[in-house]
Amino acid sequence: MKHQMRVHSSGKIRGGMKHVFPAYPRAVGVIVGAMLASVGLELFLMPHGIVVGGMTGLSALLALKTELRLGLFLFLLNLPLLLFHRNNIHWSYGIFTVMGVLVFSLGTLVLHPYPSLIAEPLLAALIGGVALGLGLGLSLRFGGALDIAEKAVNQFRYGRLSPERILLLLNCLILIGAGFHFGFLQALYSVIAYLSAFEAIKLPVQGTRLAQTVHIKSRHCAAIQEELLRYLNRVAVYRQEPTGTGNENGIGILECQCHRLERSRFISVVHQCDRESEITFDPKD
């Protein structure tokens, strides 16, 4: 049976969004993600000369090449990009990103003197990539970021090159640079770590089978899209219908993915924008 909820109310909720998503749980999530990512880097990947993509991979490559500390490059490469694009990001995202990058950088500095937990490079690439990916995903899940590369390239477009292709080109150059500097075998381990991290990021961000498809019927779809992206990092798209994205009464239908554990927060965010909205959770998920 479908779980359908509709609330009719003309009154406003006091306190705004700060009661929907408190700052302390978000800060803890970002910090835990940063610590997990630093463990994956310094205790698994870096001792074996294994790099990944993004600003994290570029920082690792420069650290291995110059023998300077990884945390220094993580800080110097990420924060200037964040400041450069400060007008295009929400203030809460900026605060939690700065917090995450600082903890990420300090974590790698603290863990640098310790040896690798695993002597086998292939196993270290797999485990380190998963730990790094989970850490990056957790930070994204709670409204921050540890790697600004994707956010930065989204502001650029060169001819026919989309931001996704620019990011892919950057990652390929980093992995090719690792191959030239460390050899083919190390480059292969780096590719394995990169793929492991890429897949692991999806777990905290997108969820697994615990995710549900949600349809939102509302007169304020644009505001709902913005708030879901800002507070839950969820992208809501218009559902395709014969009449388009909305009918003659101005009511549109959005489709989005929602983790079962965040259903109450999801409903609260939507109802902050439109108390008259109708939220339908797909029973097949």
Side-chain angles (χ1 to χ4, degrees):
M1 179 179 294
K2 284 189 176 182
H3 175 77
Q4 193 174 60
M5 182 176 295
R6 189 170 184 174
V7 177
H8 299 274
S9 175
S10 59
K12 295 183 179 180
I13 296 178
R14 296 181 179 179
M17 290 303 303
K18 62 183 179 180
H19 294 302
V20 174
F21 221 151
Y24 290 124
R26 294 179 65 186
V28 171
V30 172
I31 291 173
V32 170
M35 294 173 64
L36 183 59
S38 62
V39 168
L41 272 181
E42 283 292 357
L43 299 185
F44 292 96
L45 300 180
M46 289 296 289
H48 296 281
I50 300 173
V51 302
V52 291
M55 289 296 107
T56 303
L58 182 59
S59 299
L61 187 61
L62 292 174
L64 292 169
K65 184 71 174 180
T66 62
E67 297 185 357
L68 295 176
R69 296 297 178 86
L70 172 61
L72 177 65
F73 289 107
L74 289 172
F75 182 84
L76 293 178
L77 293 181
N78 279 294
L79 287 189
L81 285 176
L82 183 67
L83 293 175
F84 183 74
H85 296 290
R86 64 186 182 276
N87 294 328
N88 300 318
I89 60 177
H90 191 258
W91 65 268
S92 64
Y93 174 86
I95 290 175
F96 287 114
T97 297
V98 170
M99 179 189 304
V101 171
L102 286 174
V103 175
F104 193 20
S105 302
L106 291 174
T108 57
L109 291 174
V110 171
L111 295 174
H112 180 75
Y114 295 95
S116 175
L117 296 179
I118 296 178
E120 174 58 40
L122 178 59
L123 192 58
L126 288 171
I127 297 177
V130 169
L132 176 62
L134 289 176
L136 294 173
L138 275 175
S139 296
L140 289 172
R141 172 75 284 179
F142 287 95
L146 304 180
D147 193 310
I148 315 299
E150 183 175 1
K151 195 74 173 179
V153 299
N154 283 335
Q155 311 299 324
F156 298 103
R157 183 179 293 272
Y158 297 98
R160 297 182 179 180
L161 284 178
S162 64
E164 293 78 11
R165 291 183 178 180
I166 295 174
L167 184 61
L168 178 62
L169 180 61
L170 172 64
N171 292 332
C172 289
L173 290 175
I174 293 172
L175 295 175
I176 291 172
F180 275 110
H181 185 69
F182 302 110
F184 173 78
L185 191 58
Q186 292 302 108
L188 181 60
Y189 292 144
S190 296
V191 171
I192 292 173
Y194 171 76
L195 294 176
S196 299
F198 180 80
E199 293 299 324
I201 288 177
K202 300 177 183 179
L203 294 178
V205 174
Q206 299 179 358
T208 56
R209 287 180 295 181
L210 293 175
Q212 289 183 287
T213 300
V214 188
H215 295 110
I216 307 165
K217 189 175 182 180
S218 172
R219 298 178 185 272
H220 304 282
C221 290
I224 291 173
Q225 283 180 311
E226 181 181 352
E227 297 303 286
L228 287 175
L229 181 62
R230 177 181 300 174
Y231 292 101
L232 294 180
N233 200 34
R234 296 291 182 185
V235 177
V237 298
Y238 283 103
R239 183 182 180 185
Q240 295 296 324
E241 294 182 348
T243 56
T245 59
N247 61 25
E248 63 276 6
N249 296 322
I251 298 177
I253 299 178
L254 296 173
E255 183 174 289
C256 185
Q257 292 293 313
C258 171
H259 197 282
R260 294 180 187 273
L261 297 180
E262 66 181 13
R263 280 176 56 162
S264 61
R265 288 181 293 174
F266 186 96
I267 294 170
S268 298
V269 171
V270 173
H271 284 171
Q272 288 285 339
C273 301
D274 182 11
R275 295 287 295 181
E276 300 293 327
S277 61
E278 181 177 319
I279 305 172
T280 304
F281 293 88
D282 194 334
K284 296 180 181 179
D285 293 334

